[in-house]
Amino acid sequence: MKKLLIVLLLLFSYTSYSQSARKFVKMGIKKSKIMDYKGALEDYNKAIELDPDNIKAYDKRGNVKSNLLDYKGGIEDYTKVIERDPDNIPAYYKRGIASMNLHYYNFAIKDFTKIIELDPDNIPAYYRRASQRHNAEDYKGSIEDYTKIIELDPDNIIAYSERAKTKQYRDTKNNRLEDYEGSIEDYTKILELDPDNIKAYNERGWAKSRLKDYKGSMEDFTKVINLKPDEDSYSDRGNAKRNLEDYKGAIEDYTKALKLNPNKTSYYLQQIATSKSRVEDYKGAIEDYTKLIELEPDEVYFLFARGYVKELSGDLNGACADWEKAANSDDTYFVQLSKKHLMMPKCQNYSSPDNIIVDELPEFNKAGTTLAGGNGEGSASNQLSHPTGIALDASGNLYIADTNNHRIQKWTPGATEGITVAEDKERSRSSIITYPTGITLDASGNMYITDTENNNIKKWALGATEGLIIIGEGGTTDRGGYAANQLNNPAAITIDTYGNLYIADRENHRIQEWAPLATIGTTVARGLRFPSDVALDAAGNLYIADTENNRIQKWESGAREGTTVAGGNEKGSRAYQLFHPQGITLDASGNMYIADTENNRIQMWAPGAIEGTTIAGGNGEGSAANQLSLPRGITLDSSGNLYIADTGNNRIQKYAPVDN
């Protein structure tokens, strides 16, 4: 009888504790609803103290911890739930989300895989696993998941769209898919499901242009115009027509775009003038260039171009007169080219060559000096791992995006090892850095870092121990986006004197401009293929390493289309070719210095040149002083010394001018 009483007493006590625990859980839920997370935590802690096997308490406490960004704590609580209920799908899902937020991609993949094992038709789990496989650079696996979603839901437009984008993907480590044909098939399916999907027509038109199917591209942009005509659609179709050498049609479209947006008169008038010259309407082209010169009297290109058209029309004196005006203007890109034209026999009777000063091109020592790294790949203070972006401050300190070490290293002049000035020490949301590739400094010494895999830009104030996310969607680990407030695999960054940031938004195939304190960016260059670097000249013109197009593009302020100023002659190793250029900088004379990455060389292109000169590397891939291996970042100091991120050799090389 006594034993029975003891059992009953224990049962009563357990029941009482269990009931009390449930009361605390209910109180915690109420407090969570009004965002009193501290109070809710206290209640859930008390509930677990009273009933250590209360699954609901662990689950709710995990939710609160995750809301407070304590993802590790959330994982611990969801694990407790799973230990007590191994088939609890919501717990696996929430633990997977928490792992995503900590960049634990493989752990997240395991949780979503478990959900799929328990529920093979769980579409949200396939979506999440697809995104984490993408982050883990398993692009084929990501495509497999989107394909499974489509099998389960054949009309799922989002899955088709994500699969289409992934098929085009190429990352910073050169893992290639580039399945534009497959991408086009997916966009075509979307259009079967939604015949008025403007975005699908635009994206399919872009993919077709990558395959040089300009006719198909034009047809897609025509469909966009039929559905919702606007400036961009006319401009895009005009570009397609121009590639098809339908210059009259291009003129018509550019004219319509101009009517819709008179604020871009300079850009569209330039396209119209260029197209008119192609159909031998020289009079019309000259009139348009004359208008452009009136609108922008300081733009040397318009003078040069008008001179060129005058030469075609037979007005040689008029041509030479325009080139002389251009050559005597302030130094910009086309000044040197105008000087070269004046030096030619056709202008000898017009102007004396003695009056034309042609700038001498700088020469560099054939061997470089290692300033940082070069001690094998590693994470020690005297080592680097896949360094990419570099920057210099006014004191000559070198800042290095040490990509595979997930840190920024500072090397003072003459140092034998670096100092880590930015890294993820606390795993805090603002400090997480994963595969940084680009870096720039403002006048105050603040760093701006392209946190590539996290699809955001971080600002590290001078001397700070933690960064601040200033661009990108809140530091999430989900795949980047293409909205105006999003980035996708940002590769490089630069800053102008006004504090505006220019970002090579690589996977979105565009350059974004972000004004100080802006919440959204402005696309200032597009229609590129995986741009890897961006630079500015003194006039504010953009120079872009358009990597997959094997060229350097110049985009003037407000332009809707760029001008190829180096390369663009298919990939190759000849003097007039480039092969996946991934770095660019300019000197005061407008000479371009290009990291011709897969040719393992640095090319210098003078303004107006039709070919480049190898000034570093070019002696085969290797680690000797006169060799480079997959060079990426590049910059110059005030003395004309050239600094190169010799990525494949895990070092930074300095090449001095021959007169130093």
Side-chain angles (χ1 to χ4, degrees), residues 330-397:
D330 293 336
D331 196 17
T332 60
Y333 181 81
F334 288 93
V335 168
Q336 291 287 344
L337 189 56
S338 298
K339 291 177 180 179
K340 289 183 179 182
H341 276 268
L342 284 166
M343 294 289 291
M344 295 179 182
K346 58 190 174 186
C347 288
Q348 290 298 299
N349 295 328
Y350 175 80
S351 180
S352 171
D354 295 337
N355 296 325
I356 306 300
I357 301 173
V358 180
D359 295 338
E360 292 186 7
L361 296 177
E363 295 182 20
F364 290 82
N365 293 318
K366 299 301 181 183
T369 303
T370 300
L371 296 184
N375 299 300
E377 183 176 8
S379 59
S381 59
N382 68 337
Q383 293 179 307
L384 301 168
S385 179
H386 202 80
T388 305
I390 53 177
L392 287 163
D393 66 14
S395 301
N397 298 307

Side-chain angles (χ1 to χ4, degrees), residues 96-297:
I97 296 295
S99 293
M100 286 169 54
N101 286 310
L102 289 172
H103 302 255
Y104 298 164
Y105 305 136
N106 291 328
F107 287 108
I109 291 169
K110 287 180 181 179
D111 278 339
F112 297 128
T113 299
K114 182 64 178 181
I115 294 172
I116 292 167
E117 290 174 0
L118 294 168
D119 180 10
D121 296 339
N122 194 305
I123 288 178
Y126 282 112
Y127 267 121
R128 290 294 186 180
R129 190 172 72 174
S131 74
Q132 295 314 289
R133 281 179 163 178
H134 187 281
N135 286 334
E137 301 186 357
D138 178 13
Y139 309 116
K140 291 182 179 179
S142 181
I143 289 172
E144 288 173 1
D145 281 338
Y146 289 127
T147 300
K148 184 62 179 181
I149 294 170
I150 291 167
E151 290 175 2
L152 294 169
D153 182 8
D155 296 341
N156 195 308
I157 288 176
I158 296 174
Y160 280 112
S161 180
E162 291 299 315
R163 189 172 72 174
K165 288 189 291 185
T166 305
K167 285 178 178 179
Q168 297 179 14
Y169 195 80
R170 174 174 177 173
D171 76 346
T172 55
K173 298 180 181 178
N174 295 326
N175 296 319
R176 305 183 191 183
L177 295 176
E178 296 182 302
D179 180 14
Y180 296 112
E181 292 90 347
S183 181
I184 289 168
E185 290 176 1
D186 283 340
Y187 287 123
T188 300
K189 182 62 180 181
I190 292 172
L191 291 168
E192 291 175 3
L193 297 168
D194 181 9
D196 295 336
N197 194 306
I198 292 174
K199 181 183 174 184
Y201 281 115
N202 267 320
E203 294 295 331
R204 190 174 72 174
W206 182 89
K208 287 178 178 179
S209 69
R210 301 285 75 76
L211 295 174
K212 297 186 178 181
D213 177 14
Y214 300 120
K215 183 179 179 182
S217 177
M218 183 188 70
E219 291 171 352
D220 281 340
F221 295 135
T222 298
K223 188 65 178 180
V224 174
I225 289 170
N226 292 336
L227 290 168
K228 189 180 179 180
D230 60 11
E231 173 206 348
D232 289 347
S233 56
Y234 280 115
S235 179
D236 289 335
R237 191 173 70 175
N239 295 338
K241 287 180 177 180
R242 189 167 63 181
N243 282 319
L244 290 168
E245 298 184 0
D246 176 14
Y247 299 111
K248 289 184 178 179
I251 291 169
E252 291 174 359
D253 280 344
Y254 291 137
T255 301
K256 290 177 181 176
L258 175 57
K259 288 181 180 178
L260 290 169
N261 189 0
N263 292 326
K264 293 185 178 178
T265 297
S266 292
Y267 171 75
Y268 289 117
L269 208 56
Q270 181 182 344
Q271 310 312 314
I272 293 168
T274 301
S275 298
K276 283 181 178 179
S277 68
R278 294 297 185 94
V279 295
E280 299 183 2
D281 179 11
Y282 301 130
K283 181 180 178 181
I286 290 169
E287 289 174 353
D288 288 340
Y289 281 123
T290 300
K291 292 178 183 176
L292 286 165
I293 292 167
E294 292 171 356
L295 288 168
E296 299 187 43

